[in-house]
Amino acid sequence: MALRDGPPVIVETERGSLRARDVIVATNVPFGDGGFFDRRSVLHRSYLVASRAGSAPLEGTYISVDEPMRSILAIEVDGAAYVLAGGEGHPAEETVDSAGCYRRLAAFSRDRLGAGEPVFRWSTQDGIPVDGLPFVGRMPPSAAHIHVITGLRKWGLSNGTAGALILADALCGRENPWARVFDSRRDTPVPSAARSVEGRFPRVVTAMPAPGEGAVVELDGEKIAVYAEPAGQLRAYSAICTHLGCTVEFNPAEVTWDCPCHGSRFSTDGSVIQGPATRHLAPRPAPVRER
């Protein structure tokens, strides 16, 4: 997908193009990122487990004031009551034991909420601007009709609404007292580039992974991300993240390839799951196991 400033703005997609007077890009990591929001934010990963509620479901949504942080939400799906427990957050570039995060959340649900074993589990990533404020305004700075709302710091219901009100005023020619505070063109500190360097040199193994596992191996001087299907078939892709060239690492708890630099995530077939990367990992010939 690509954007060209207008008027009219041209939105080019795989199936054709759209024209509009103004376009708002309101996504986790903006595509066509002329404002470099991925470099002005830190992606933060959190984990959730959904378990069958052990008693009358809670009413409302809760978040703890102490550490470790826990959020609690009760939902009903097809007549069954579930309780969601979230937490265990960390910067996405940090390599952690994801399976341990899920275990601790499951234990919290059992011990403190009387819930059963988890039925579903997943993780999510959110952009945290380095100065703590969402980005609302033009994207890129030179654009006149392409606007952005991003970096909502996990508070989409409130910060997203605030961003929408700001841009509604801007498009209608009205002043908004908060526009300068959230301005997407404001000066912000730049996160340290050290994490970009650290992520280029992950552990490279010499042996092929066991079924259901993945590993970065070096073949003919190239780092290759190799995943072994449960049946044993090997899938191979370039281990170089298509965002800024760091080397991905295998996440065994979620069976994904994760970039330790800026949080991009890829499935075992190389396709993008989470930006800022927009291109899939490049396929490579599958290696042959030694007999």
PDB file of all heavy atoms in Angstrom, residues 82-94:
ATOM      1  N   TYR A  82     -15.778 -15.856  30.420  1.00  0.00           N
ATOM      2  CA  TYR A  82     -14.323 -15.938  30.481  1.00  0.00           C
ATOM      3  C   TYR A  82     -13.789 -14.745  31.260  1.00  0.00           C
ATOM      4  O   TYR A  82     -14.406 -13.675  31.292  1.00  0.00           O
ATOM      5  CB  TYR A  82     -13.699 -15.914  29.086  1.00  0.00           C
ATOM      6  CG  TYR A  82     -14.054 -17.092  28.216  1.00  0.00           C
ATOM      7  CD1 TYR A  82     -15.215 -17.093  27.458  1.00  0.00           C
ATOM      8  CD2 TYR A  82     -13.219 -18.199  28.148  1.00  0.00           C
ATOM      9  CE1 TYR A  82     -15.552 -18.175  26.656  1.00  0.00           C
ATOM     10  CE2 TYR A  82     -13.535 -19.283  27.338  1.00  0.00           C
ATOM     11  CZ  TYR A  82     -14.703 -19.265  26.600  1.00  0.00           C
ATOM     12  OH  TYR A  82     -15.021 -20.330  25.806  1.00  0.00           O
ATOM     13  N   VAL A  83     -12.633 -14.928  31.872  1.00  0.00           N
ATOM     14  CA  VAL A  83     -11.922 -13.827  32.497  1.00  0.00           C
ATOM     15  C   VAL A  83     -10.576 -13.702  31.793  1.00  0.00           C
ATOM     16  O   VAL A  83      -9.883 -14.692  31.556  1.00  0.00           O
ATOM     17  CB  VAL A  83     -11.740 -14.050  34.009  1.00  0.00           C
ATOM     18  CG1 VAL A  83     -10.957 -15.325  34.308  1.00  0.00           C
ATOM     19  CG2 VAL A  83     -11.063 -12.841  34.649  1.00  0.00           C
ATOM     20  N   LEU A  84     -10.237 -12.474  31.407  1.00  0.00           N
ATOM     21  CA  LEU A  84      -8.978 -12.189  30.733  1.00  0.00           C
ATOM     22  C   LEU A  84      -8.016 -11.557  31.723  1.00  0.00           C
ATOM     23  O   LEU A  84      -8.376 -10.600  32.424  1.00  0.00           O
ATOM     24  CB  LEU A  84      -9.182 -11.228  29.558  1.00  0.00           C
ATOM     25  CG  LEU A  84      -9.610 -11.807  28.212  1.00  0.00           C
ATOM     26  CD1 LEU A  84     -10.939 -12.542  28.329  1.00  0.00           C
ATOM     27  CD2 LEU A  84      -9.701 -10.707  27.160  1.00  0.00           C
ATOM     28  N   ALA A  85      -6.818 -12.090  31.798  1.00  0.00           N
ATOM     29  CA  ALA A  85      -5.775 -11.529  32.646  1.00  0.00           C
ATOM     30  C   ALA A  85      -4.607 -11.132  31.764  1.00  0.00           C
ATOM     31  O   ALA A  85      -4.123 -11.936  30.959  1.00  0.00           O
ATOM     32  CB  ALA A  85      -5.321 -12.533  33.703  1.00  0.00           C
ATOM     33  N   GLY A  86      -4.172  -9.886  31.881  1.00  0.00           N
ATOM     34  CA  GLY A  86      -3.077  -9.390  31.056  1.00  0.00           C
ATOM     35  C   GLY A  86      -1.960  -8.828  31.895  1.00  0.00           C
ATOM     36  O   GLY A  86      -2.144  -8.465  33.064  1.00  0.00           O
ATOM     37  N   GLY A  87      -0.786  -8.734  31.277  1.00  0.00           N
ATOM     38  CA  GLY A  87       0.371  -8.173  31.968  1.00  0.00           C
ATOM     39  C   GLY A  87       1.658  -8.707  31.406  1.00  0.00           C
ATOM     40  O   GLY A  87       1.741  -9.070  30.229  1.00  0.00           O
ATOM     41  N   GLU A  88       2.709  -8.750  32.246  1.00  0.00           N
ATOM     42  CA  GLU A  88       4.028  -9.256  31.873  1.00  0.00           C
ATOM     43  C   GLU A  88       4.653  -8.450  30.735  1.00  0.00           C
ATOM     44  O   GLU A  88       5.412  -8.972  29.924  1.00  0.00           O
ATOM     45  CB  GLU A  88       3.949 -10.737  31.478  1.00  0.00           C
ATOM     46  CG  GLU A  88       3.520 -11.658  32.603  1.00  0.00           C
ATOM     47  CD  GLU A  88       4.544 -11.758  33.711  1.00  0.00           C
ATOM     48  OE1 GLU A  88       5.761 -11.783  33.421  1.00  0.00           O
ATOM     49  OE2 GLU A  88       4.125 -11.784  34.884  1.00  0.00           O
ATOM     50  N   GLY A  89       4.325  -7.151  30.643  1.00  0.00           N
ATOM     51  CA  GLY A  89       4.807  -6.335  29.534  1.00  0.00           C
ATOM     52  C   GLY A  89       6.304  -6.080  29.583  1.00  0.00           C
ATOM     53  O   GLY A  89       6.931  -6.061  30.650  1.00  0.00           O
ATOM     54  N   HIS A  90       6.881  -5.851  28.407  1.00  0.00           N
ATOM     55  CA  HIS A  90       8.309  -5.544  28.284  1.00  0.00           C
ATOM     56  C   HIS A  90       8.556  -4.927  26.907  1.00  0.00           C
ATOM     57  O   HIS A  90       7.769  -5.145  25.970  1.00  0.00           O
ATOM     58  CB  HIS A  90       9.161  -6.800  28.460  1.00  0.00           C
ATOM     59  CG  HIS A  90       8.891  -7.853  27.414  1.00  0.00           C
ATOM     60  ND1 HIS A  90       9.542  -7.881  26.200  1.00  0.00           N
ATOM     61  CD2 HIS A  90       8.023  -8.901  27.398  1.00  0.00           C
ATOM     62  CE1 HIS A  90       9.086  -8.902  25.481  1.00  0.00           C
ATOM     63  NE2 HIS A  90       8.169  -9.539  26.186  1.00  0.00           N
ATOM     64  N   PRO A  91       9.629  -4.142  26.731  1.00  0.00           N
ATOM     65  CA  PRO A  91       9.965  -3.654  25.401  1.00  0.00           C
ATOM     66  C   PRO A  91      10.129  -4.825  24.432  1.00  0.00           C
ATOM     67  O   PRO A  91      10.732  -5.847  24.780  1.00  0.00           O
ATOM     68  CB  PRO A  91      11.288  -2.907  25.615  1.00  0.00           C
ATOM     69  CG  PRO A  91      11.236  -2.488  27.050  1.00  0.00           C
ATOM     70  CD  PRO A  91      10.536  -3.616  27.767  1.00  0.00           C
ATOM     71  N   ALA A  92       9.594  -4.681  23.236  1.00  0.00           N
ATOM     72  CA  ALA A  92       9.569  -5.808  22.302  1.00  0.00           C
ATOM     73  C   ALA A  92      10.958  -6.275  21.908  1.00  0.00           C
ATOM     74  O   ALA A  92      11.141  -7.441  21.541  1.00  0.00           O
ATOM     75  CB  ALA A  92       8.775  -5.428  21.054  1.00  0.00           C
ATOM     76  N   GLU A  93      11.965  -5.386  21.990  1.00  0.00           N
ATOM     77  CA  GLU A  93      13.304  -5.804  21.589  1.00  0.00           C
ATOM     78  C   GLU A  93      13.983  -6.679  22.633  1.00  0.00           C
ATOM     79  O   GLU A  93      15.015  -7.285  22.358  1.00  0.00           O
ATOM     80  CB  GLU A  93      14.186  -4.594  21.267  1.00  0.00           C
ATOM     81  CG  GLU A  93      14.601  -3.768  22.472  1.00  0.00           C
ATOM     82  CD  GLU A  93      13.671  -2.610  22.720  1.00  0.00           C
ATOM     83  OE1 GLU A  93      12.542  -2.637  22.175  1.00  0.00           O
ATOM     84  OE2 GLU A  93      14.067  -1.669  23.441  1.00  0.00           O
ATOM     85  N   GLU A  94      13.397  -6.757  23.844  1.00  0.00           N
ATOM     86  CA  GLU A  94      13.979  -7.612  24.870  1.00  0.00           C
ATOM     87  C   GLU A  94      13.564  -9.061  24.647  1.00  0.00           C
ATOM     88  O   GLU A  94      12.390  -9.353  24.411  1.00  0.00           O
ATOM     89  CB  GLU A  94      13.525  -7.164  26.262  1.00  0.00           C
ATOM     90  CG  GLU A  94      14.092  -5.840  26.697  1.00  0.00           C
ATOM     91  CD  GLU A  94      13.656  -5.483  28.113  1.00  0.00           C
ATOM     92  OE1 GLU A  94      12.939  -6.293  28.740  1.00  0.00           O
ATOM     93  OE2 GLU A  94      14.026  -4.392  28.578  1.00  0.00           O
TER      94      GLU A  94
END
